């Protein structure tokens, strides 16, 4: 039986853009997952590739996939867009059981709160430990969730100096 998504992390930043411009930027999964496409210490020096369906990850029901090899293991996760409310919110969740190392199934998203100048961006993840290696999730899951939401938020802020 699949674990409920009881583990959570959220990162908030201020962004120097109006809500519409920020949403359009973040609506593209290539931008949100850019940190996964570059080798990094958190990815053990590896990177993952992104593929999307015809909807490009920009419509409800659209599916996209991250896949690659980390530490000699094939990783693969597909996500489906579940909510898209421009210019304020978007969420997506894993489809099936992902093949990941330190997190299992997850639901992610972002919300945008317009301010007098710019807006506040919140990026969140709700996740379970991986079914196949829950001990890795217990050790590294929180650090990975923090890194991932932080990278997405900081990359978005950097796009609007």
């Amino acid at each position: 039986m699949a674990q409920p998504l009881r583990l959570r992390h959220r990162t908030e930043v201020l962004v120097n853009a109006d809500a519409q411009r920020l949403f359009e930027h973040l609506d593209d999964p290539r931008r949100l997952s850019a940190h996964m496409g570059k080798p990094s210490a958190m990815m053990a020096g590896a990177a993952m590739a992104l593929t999307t369906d015809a909807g490009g990850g920009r419509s409800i029901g659209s599916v996209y996939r991250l896949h690659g090899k980390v530490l000699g293991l094939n990783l693969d996760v597909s996500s489906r867009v579940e909510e898209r409310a421009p210019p304020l919110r978007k969420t997506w969740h894993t489809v099936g059981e992902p093949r990941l190392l330190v997190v299992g199934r997850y639901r992610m998203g972002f919300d945008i709160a317009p301010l007098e100048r710019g807006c506040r961006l919140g990026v969140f993840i709700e996740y379970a430990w991986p079914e196949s290696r829950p001990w890795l999730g217990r050790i590294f899951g929180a650090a990975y969730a923090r890194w991932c939401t932080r990278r997405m938020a900081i990359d978005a802020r950097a796009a609007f100096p």
Side-chain angles (χ1 to χ4, degrees):
M1 183 174 175
Q3 301 175 46
L5 304 179
R6 293 189 178 142
L7 305 163
R8 294 177 170 77
H9 188 74
R10 180 180 176 86
T11 299
E12 289 190 359
V13 296
L14 298 176
V15 180
N16 187 27
D18 64 71
Q20 186 64 43
R21 283 181 57 215
L22 180 57
F23 186 91
E24 287 171 6
H25 178 80
L26 295 174
D27 196 24
D28 185 344
R30 290 173 299 180
R31 290 191 179 118
L32 275 176
S33 64
H35 63 286
M36 301 293 287
K38 301 177 217 166
S40 68
M42 192 59 78
M43 294 289 295
M48 295 181 78
L50 174 79
T51 56
T52 66
D53 65 6
R58 293 183 174 155
S59 58
I60 292 177
S62 186
V63 176
Y64 50 94
R65 176 179 169 231
L66 282 165
H67 52 96
K69 195 172 265 204
V70 175
L71 300 173
L73 299 170
N74 289 321
L75 301 186
D76 197 341
V77 59
S78 292
S79 298
R80 177 176 290 126
V81 176
E82 69 178 0
E83 177 186 13
R84 187 177 177 275
L88 301 177
R89 185 170 171 84
K90 183 175 180 179
T91 61
W92 56 95
H93 61 88
T94 53
V95 177
E97 189 60 41
R99 287 193 324 239
L100 298 171
L101 287 177
V102 299
V103 297
R105 292 176 312 103
Y106 61 80
R107 179 176 177 268
M108 289 191 79
F110 62 83
D111 49 65
I112 298 169
L115 302 172
E116 194 171 308
R117 291 188 178 179
C119 47
R120 181 175 45 252
L121 168 65
V123 180
F124 64 88
I125 184 170
E126 300 163 348
Y127 63 100
W129 290 320
E131 293 284 329
S132 62
R133 296 174 189 89
W135 61 274
L136 277 174
R138 287 183 184 102
I139 296 169
F140 301 110
Y144 177 80
R146 185 172 44 251
W147 172 77
C148 195
T149 60
R150 191 171 192 282
R151 281 287 12 121
M152 289 178 172
I154 289 171
D155 289 351
R157 182 176 61 195
F160 301 95

